[in-house]
Amino acid sequence: MTSHPAFPPPPGARAYPLRTARGEFAVVDSSPAAGAEARGVVLMLPGFTGSKEDFRLLHEPLAQRGYRVVAVDGRGQHESVGPLDDESAYAQRELARDVLAQAEALGGPVHLVGHSLGGQIARAAVLLDHSPFVSFTLVSSGPAEISVSQQQRVKLLRDALAVLSMEEVWEAIQAMGPPEEVGGPARGLGDQDQLRRRWLGHSPAQLLATGRQLCTEPDRVAELAAVPLPFHVLSGAHDDTWPVAILDDMALRLDAHRTVVTGAEHSPNADQPLATAHALADFWDGVGPGRSAGGAAGTP
């Protein structure tokens, strides 16, 4: 991690390198609020081109509900180091093993949350070994590959990374239009200098490898449904990465608790953080801190 992070941690949280059996990972870690009954530990994984800071508006409301929240940069994301040109380090199975090591380092069991790409990496970890987890929440993360329109965007990015530096790609993204229209790494919780610094912290190999994964991910919902964990599928009311109807169907196939956050799109954690935090905590409260098996909580 850098000594001068682009994003100061939210109130009550601290940023530090989490030491694991698979190396160090940059995290933002917040404890339950003073006076709140400790109810469990949460591990949160960000999406493609994202980082642990995508969850920063969730820390305070979840701390008030008694949850310790640990948001992590995966290998090669933002402040977690990773090879710059070796895509094999970012094979999905390798990233899944990182998640298992992170959960072990936190002392487990933990409530696992994955946003978008992070949801598919988290799913791979659960399918390798579900024992470190109390529950699994997929946030705007679908059953298989991303939509055709998003595959085209990822291909453009991957083509650019093949011939341009990270700085040159950022400049090209900026030239495409205002961040709210361009989206991707230019849009997020922070100003353009912070988001630029985050982008430059990413490994090109990580972006190339995980971008390919998003475009080729198989449907593994049946495998996941056989795992004895409570599941939660949470999304915004609109999503062009995985249409909401596809997420609805996935929730049914998983017998999962289902939350649709009004007024949110692909990143409900940023668009409607309070509603998202309340939905997450309500689900976890129903699961309990020690439950690690038995079907889903709630109804679709």
Side-chain angles (χ1 to χ4, degrees):
M1 288 180 61
T2 62
S3 58
H4 301 285
F7 299 86
R14 63 190 184 102
Y16 65 92
L18 177 70
R19 294 178 174 86
T20 81
R22 289 177 61 82
E24 294 186 349
F25 297 89
V27 300
V28 172
D29 185 343
S30 58
S31 300
E37 177 188 357
R39 298 192 63 88
V41 181
V42 182
L43 176 62
M44 294 189 164
L45 313 182
F48 185 61
T49 74
S51 69
K52 60 191 179 301
E53 286 74 24
D54 293 336
F55 303 110
R56 63 182 175 146
L57 298 181
L58 300 182
H59 284 269
E60 285 191 89
L62 290 175
Q64 293 294 330
R65 294 286 294 267
Y67 289 95
R68 176 188 176 192
V69 176
V70 182
V72 61
D73 287 335
R75 182 179 305 276
Q77 280 184 319
H78 191 201
E79 294 179 320
S80 289
V81 299
L84 298 180
D85 54 10
D86 178 11
E87 292 187 42
S88 68
Y90 306 104
Q92 190 184 73
R93 186 178 179 88
E94 293 302 307
L95 299 179
R97 291 177 64 199
D98 288 347
V99 176
L100 295 175
Q102 293 155 10
E104 180 182 21
L106 294 175
V110 302
H111 295 285
L112 182 62
V113 177
H115 174 236
S116 196
L117 170 71
Q120 296 198 330
I121 294 169
R123 180 173 73 177
V126 169
L127 291 173
L128 278 178
D129 180 6
H130 71 272
S131 64
F133 308 113
V134 183
S135 72
F136 177 27
T137 298
L138 293 128
V139 177
S140 303
S141 186
E145 75 279 0
I146 55 178
S147 66
V148 172
S149 64
Q150 290 300 309
Q151 288 185 45
Q152 293 169 344
R153 290 171 63 90
V154 170
K155 184 180 185 302
L156 285 172
L157 179 58
R158 294 181 68 246
D159 288 347
L161 287 169
V163 296
L164 300 174
S165 69
M166 291 290 286
E167 179 67 46
E168 289 169 334
V169 173
W170 177 259
E171 293 173 357
I173 291 170
Q174 294 294 298
M176 292 172 65
E180 62 271 16
E181 295 180 11
V182 176
R187 185 177 182 183
L189 295 174
D191 60 34
Q192 287 300 290
D193 180 63
Q194 290 173 313
L195 296 173
R196 173 183 172 276
R197 290 171 65 187
R198 176 173 76 170
W199 167 256
L200 294 178
H202 276 70
S203 159
Q206 190 270 350
L207 294 167
L208 290 167
T210 57
R212 184 181 297 107
Q213 290 169 27
L214 283 169
C215 296
T216 59
E217 179 74 5
D219 188 323
R220 304 186 72 186
V221 175
E223 293 176 70
L224 186 62
V227 174
L229 281 180
F231 300 119
H232 184 192
V233 175
L234 184 149
S235 73
H238 174 75
D239 196 316
D240 59 3
T241 303
W242 287 278
V244 172
I246 288 179
L247 300 175
D248 291 340
D249 178 71
M250 182 178 72
L252 287 171
R253 294 169 64 195
L254 290 172
D255 190 23
H257 186 77
R258 177 74 171 110
T259 299
V260 177
V261 180
T262 303
E265 297 187 9
H266 185 61
S267 297
N269 41 294
D271 298 338
Q272 296 290 339
L274 285 178
T276 299
H278 291 158
L280 290 170
D282 288 347
F283 170 67
W284 299 327
D285 286 354
V287 170
R291 180 179 173 189
S292 59
T299 56

